[in-house]
Amino acid sequence: MTEHTLRQYDIELEEIRRGVLNMGGLAEAQVSRAFEGLRSGQLDLLDAVVDGDKPINLAQIELDDECTHIIAKRQPAAGDLRLVLAVIKIATDLERIGDEAKKIAKAARRLHSAETPFVPRIGLTQAVELALELLRASLDAFARVNPDGIEDLRRKDAEIDANFKGVMRQLITYMMEDPRTISSSLEMLFIAKAIERIGDHAMNIAEHVVYVARGQDVRFENSQASVAKR
């Protein structure tokens, strides 16, 4: 490659890195606004979250196009190829985080628009804060290409999973004690599950960073370890 071509190649790689971080910012904002709309009952805010899913979808399409262009034209190898492949996967996870935020907004709108609105007193704040922390930390690890904190992130993901199980038990109790709460309790269960899925997608991003930095696929390490012990 000529010096000019190399410089342009570096610019293209930097553009997809920046694209991931910009898309991550959009996804994070969507999750925050969806939960605020759930908490406050602001229907206009919830509508804005639903509409805000479109820019995230477009960002994924643009990143996919840029990555396809780099692969076809530059034929990257080694670390550069891992970066491009990881960007494609991370963009997918961010798009799905946007989808989960949209699900939260739609469920929250149904709750607050009901003729007799009843929102079960379920503690979701901690899970949302953990999911956002996990997302921010994963994006920061991507920006610095530093996977060293992945075990801490796995602990956060485990806390989110445990929170979801606790919420599910509470909601089942609500529904058993008072069948009139079934509809609203199911909506809250959908919301809690969406938060748990946001944590999963954020964890995926952190695992993709390990792949970029070390060339290791650690997505199924726990499963592999379980099989090895048998």
Side-chain angles (χ1 to χ4, degrees):
M1 289 186 185
T2 65
E3 183 179 346
H4 172 76
T5 303
L6 284 170
R7 188 162 57 249
Q8 183 60 34
Y9 179 37
D10 288 340
I11 290 171
E12 290 170 2
L13 292 177
E14 182 57 33
E15 284 176 349
I16 62 172
R17 288 191 191 96
R18 190 162 53 245
V20 165
L21 297 176
N22 290 339
M23 190 177 176
L26 292 174
E28 179 186 336
Q30 282 286 91
V31 175
S32 296
R33 290 191 298 171
F35 187 66
E36 175 58 25
L38 169 66
R39 187 192 63 78
S40 66
Q42 297 178 57
L43 299 184
D44 56 341
L45 180 57
L46 295 171
D47 289 340
V49 173
V50 174
D51 292 338
D53 189 49
K54 296 172 186 174
I56 295 179
N57 294 341
L58 291 174
Q60 184 193 16
I61 291 170
E62 289 175 7
L63 276 171
D64 282 351
D65 286 346
E66 290 172 12
C67 289
T68 300
H69 170 82
I70 291 173
I71 291 172
K73 189 174 180 181
R74 306 298 185 189
Q75 298 180 346
D80 290 346
L81 179 59
R82 294 200 302 271
L83 171 64
V84 175
L85 295 176
V87 165
I88 293 171
K89 293 176 181 178
I90 291 170
T92 298
D93 279 305
L94 290 173
E95 189 274 334
R96 289 177 180 167
I97 287 173
D99 286 345
E100 298 299 336
K102 184 177 176 180
K103 288 179 188 176
I104 293 171
K106 286 186 170 182
R109 203 183 200 296
R110 290 191 294 269
L111 277 171
H112 290 292
S113 299
E115 289 183 8
T116 54
F118 167 77
V119 180
R121 291 183 174 276
I122 298 297
L124 295 176
T125 301
Q126 183 185 12
V128 171
E129 289 175 351
L130 282 170
L132 286 170
E133 286 175 17
L134 183 50
L135 177 57
R136 293 185 195 113
S138 296
L139 290 168
D140 182 62
F142 173 79
R144 295 182 293 109
V145 197
N146 182 357
D148 291 343
I150 191 166
E151 292 306 322
D152 287 336
L153 301 187
R154 282 178 171 155
R155 281 190 284 272
K156 279 187 171 62
D157 188 39
E159 284 185 60
I160 296 169
D161 293 344
N163 183 277
F164 169 70
K165 291 176 183 176
V167 165
M168 184 169 59
R169 286 192 293 269
Q170 285 180 276
L171 289 170
I172 289 172
T173 301
Y174 266 115
M175 290 186 280
M176 290 176 65
E177 291 179 350
D178 186 352
R180 292 173 299 177
T181 67
I182 288 175
S183 178
S184 55
S185 293
L186 286 174
E187 296 289 7
M188 290 298 290
L189 185 59
F190 294 149
I191 290 169
K193 183 61 180 176
I195 295 168
E196 191 259 347
R197 292 296 297 142
I198 289 167
D200 288 344
H201 289 302
M203 193 66 236
N204 289 347
I205 293 169
E207 290 170 345
H208 296 323
V209 174
V210 176
Y211 174 69
V212 174
R214 301 174 183 165
Q216 293 176 278
D217 188 340
V218 296
R219 290 175 297 171
F220 308 111
E221 271 188 347
N222 291 339
S223 299
Q224 291 167 354
S226 298
V227 171
K229 289 178 181 178
R230 291 178 186 174

